[in-house]
Amino acid sequence: MTTDVHCLLDARATLGECPVWSVEEQALYWVDTLGRSVNRFDHVTGANQSWRLPQDIGCCALREGGGLVLGLRGGFHGFDPGSGALVPLRAVEADRPDVRLNDGRCDRRGRFWAGSVQVPPVPARPGGALHRLDRDHRCDKVLDGLLIPNGLAFSPDDRTLYLSDSHPSRQTIWAFEFDADEGRLGDRRIFATTWDLPGRPDGAAVDAEGFYWSAGIDGGQVVRFAPDGRIDRTVALPVSGPTMCAFGGPGLDVLFVTSMRPADVDGKVEPLAGGLFAFAAGVAGLPEPRYAG
């Protein structure tokens, strides 16, 4: 089956990441990690508003009280798009300047989860971790030993937390038993690997049927995995570097996909690399939870 994929915005992002749909605004927030910006794309008008930031940004989420929570290089911050005010909430590994926050997502109890990555990753000494920002701004490291944590998502019944490691030496998506009330991880199992697929498992989203959609970075496709880990469907993209996906649109049945814009060995880039893409998923997603702090 061929799926029509559209480039909504030729953003030319260095490293587009973390699309988050606002149902109330009918708009998509997304970030450019290395371009140091947070953006708001109006799905109706096609206009994109951008705010420059003082640090690399890995992730963002909507806040219950309005505005956003951001995961920057130095930690978590609140952000007011109206005024541009940036307020520190909690530092993360402040004694390690080689670490920045990466992929992140809220759970349905209002906590914000984000992975951290050591730049550059050192496979012999994994320096990445998974952090949980609670509603009272307390931050706990809940898992370490990671290289490039990505793919954070939650099953519709809140009993599973998904997490991938995108490093070429890992290429694994794990499924953790998840206690949503306490915000605790239980036993983990290998959900899927991508050794036999183009690309590596980057950012992801879960649909209303419990299927896991994973952006295959360097593979030019998005892969839909069934709850048992089998491949259900693949969607080819016009760029090799999709980074993360999110459901949105009036019916929450459009899958938005961010991408990166790396130069190849000749100093050239793919024409649409770094763009924002979308396609009809054929299934609805779930509203994105908001951070309650």
Side-chain angles (χ1 to χ4, degrees):
M1 179 176 64
T2 302
T3 301
D4 292 330
V5 178
H6 305 280
C7 182
L8 301 179
L9 180 68
D10 185 11
R12 305 194 176 194
T14 307
L15 181 54
E17 283 283 6
C18 203
V20 178
W21 179 258
S22 170
V23 173
E24 291 76 13
E25 299 177 50
Q26 289 292 290
L28 186 82
Y29 287 92
W30 63 279
V31 309
D32 184 348
T33 296
L34 302 181
R36 296 185 171 183
S37 69
V38 59
N39 300 267
R40 180 187 182 275
F41 176 77
D42 188 310
H43 188 42
V44 176
T45 67
N48 187 74
Q49 187 175 6
S50 185
W51 295 267
R52 292 284 296 174
L53 298 168
Q55 301 174 11
D56 296 347
I57 174 172
C59 52
C60 69
L62 305 170
R63 295 182 80 177
E64 283 187 0
L68 306 173
V69 57
L70 309 180
L72 302 183
R73 176 175 285 274
F76 296 104
H77 293 67
F79 179 70
D80 178 8
S83 66
L86 188 67
V87 179
L89 300 178
R90 181 64 62 181
V92 176
E93 303 198 60
D95 59 334
R96 298 187 59 194
D98 60 336
V99 168
R100 67 165 173 83
L101 289 175
N102 198 46
D103 181 88
R105 171 166 270 118
C106 280
D107 67 26
R108 296 183 185 93
R109 301 298 189 274
R111 310 177 195 91
F112 190 37
W113 299 71
S116 61
V117 59
Q118 181 181 9
V119 184
V122 181
R125 298 187 305 278
L130 178 63
H131 306 267
R132 185 194 65 231
L133 182 69
D134 292 335
R135 296 175 287 265
D136 61 2
H137 301 173
R138 173 179 172 175
C139 185
D140 289 324
K141 181 189 291 187
V142 297
L143 183 69
D144 56 16
L146 303 171
L147 288 171
I148 307 179
N150 265 308
L152 275 166
F154 299 89
S155 61
D157 63 6
D158 284 335
R159 297 176 63 182
T160 303
L161 178 150
Y162 294 99
L163 175 71
S164 70
D165 196 319
S166 301
H167 193 271
S169 67
R170 295 281 177 92
Q171 301 200 47
T172 298
I173 306 166
W174 293 287
F176 291 80
E177 294 179 358
F178 182 57
D179 184 330
D181 291 330
E182 299 297 327
R184 287 200 304 258
L185 302 184
D187 292 340
R188 70 169 154 177
R189 59 182 172 84
I190 293 177
F191 173 71
T193 63
T194 59
W195 299 109
D196 297 327
L197 295 174
R200 297 169 282 114
D202 208 319
V206 170
D207 63 34
E209 296 178 354
F211 286 61
Y212 181 90
W213 297 72
S214 175
I217 186 117
D218 291 339
Q221 64 181 15
V222 174
V223 182
R224 187 188 192 222
F225 291 94
D228 61 6
R230 64 182 172 81
I231 296 174
D232 173 76
R233 179 183 171 195
T234 61
V235 177
L237 298 177
V239 293
S240 61
T243 54
M244 190 172 176
C245 47
F247 285 93
L252 289 179
D253 54 359
V254 174
L255 198 72
F256 295 93
V257 187
T258 51
S259 67
M260 65 184 297
R261 189 176 179 83
D264 67 14
V265 293
D266 298 320
K268 300 177 182 178
V269 296
E270 299 163 341
L272 295 177
L276 175 64
F277 300 89
F279 60 86
V283 63
L286 298 165
E288 197 67 32
R290 292 174 178 256
Y291 175 57

